[in-house]
Amino acid sequence: YTQSCKNLGVSYYKGEGVAKDLSKARKLFKKACDGGDAQGCAFYESLYKQGEEVTQDFSEENKLLYKKACDGGDVKGCFNLGTLYEKGEGVEKDFSKAIQLYKKACDGGVANGCANLGVFYEKGIGLTQNFSKSNELYKKACDGGDAQGCANIGLLYCNGKGVTQDFSKASQLLKKACDGGNANGCYNLGVLYANGEGVAKDLSKAIQLYKKACDGDNTDGCYNLGILYANGEGVTKDFSKANELY
């Protein structure tokens, strides 16, 4: 019964065989979830997270929804519940719970759960700072396709934290992050090209990467690009453009 509700909900969500109707999909996912279907809970909370046809809030109901999905074996639900505890959204901020939930998500194959857990180890939040452990988690996240994990481990190679400093390795990881849409990865790769660290110095390439980072809302990318416009390095000097970027 619950699986039928979930499957019908998927059909309405995707518009397969029926007219797309997110409202009906939401009701069917909720029905499946209330009947104990963990995947139904996962689909339902996905609508919450995206703000589709549901008021996007972080209410007690939302927390219970994530918990139900997590307890039912849906590790993505564990990850989402972890983000609520990390940020204190709809629940009291609790880094210890966030760490436990990210670990459960990471162990279950959720790559961004590994990346988020890595941040706690890198910064020593709620546990003892451990760059070696954060490096291990970022690598697992990156190998699992998480661009932020690639960006984070790339920066560790730049700074030699938990690993031997290796700008060449860093450039490869940052490229992977940037290609995956991570603006921080684009910015830090731009810095390597600007300085000729791990790659041949190429100001034109650095400019392209700073622009990509800036377009992705990375303020450091915007600032560095602005400096280049102000100084006329690699681009025509343009103070007006520089001021827009600062």
Side-chain angles (χ1 to χ4, degrees), residues 18-166:
V18 292
K20 185 169 182 174
D21 190 326
L22 296 179
S23 179
K24 282 185 180 178
R26 174 178 62 82
K27 289 173 184 175
L28 287 160
F29 290 149
K30 177 74 164 62
K31 206 169 190 178
C33 180
D34 289 344
D37 189 295
Q39 200 170 33
C41 296
F43 284 132
Y44 185 56
E45 49 101 345
S46 177
L47 291 180
Y48 263 97
K49 198 153 183 74
Q50 297 170 40
E52 294 183 78
E53 288 297 308
V54 185
T55 301
Q56 191 171 23
D57 59 27
F58 297 94
S59 62
E60 180 69 15
E61 181 185 356
N62 207 16
K63 181 195 81 170
L64 292 173
L65 183 63
Y66 291 156
K67 186 176 188 307
K68 195 168 187 178
C70 181
D71 291 345
D74 183 78
V75 287
K76 188 67 177 175
C78 302
F79 170 79
N80 289 334
L81 185 57
T83 63
L84 296 189
Y85 277 109
E86 180 184 358
K87 297 174 182 177
E89 293 175 334
V91 294
E92 187 174 342
K93 188 178 285 190
D94 189 328
F95 291 138
S96 178
K97 282 186 179 176
I99 288 165
Q100 291 171 26
L101 289 159
Y102 285 149
K103 184 179 186 308
K104 192 170 182 179
C106 179
D107 290 345
V110 179
N112 46 357
C114 301
N116 284 15
L117 184 58
V119 172
F120 280 85
Y121 275 102
E122 182 185 353
K123 297 183 177 179
I125 300 171
L127 36 69
T128 303
Q129 188 177 47
N130 187 330
F131 290 118
S132 178
K133 185 66 176 176
S134 64
N135 173 41
E136 176 191 321
L137 287 161
Y138 290 153
K139 184 180 186 304
K140 188 173 181 179
C142 183
D143 290 346
D146 183 76
Q148 184 63 55
C150 299
N152 290 356
I153 192 174
L155 198 55
L156 290 184
Y157 273 102
C158 283
N159 299 326
K161 290 183 176 179
V163 291
T164 303
Q165 189 175 51
D166 187 334

Side-chain angles (χ1 to χ4, degrees), residues 191-202:
V191 171
L192 294 186
Y193 273 102
N195 296 333
E197 294 175 318
V199 291
K201 187 169 183 175
D202 187 334

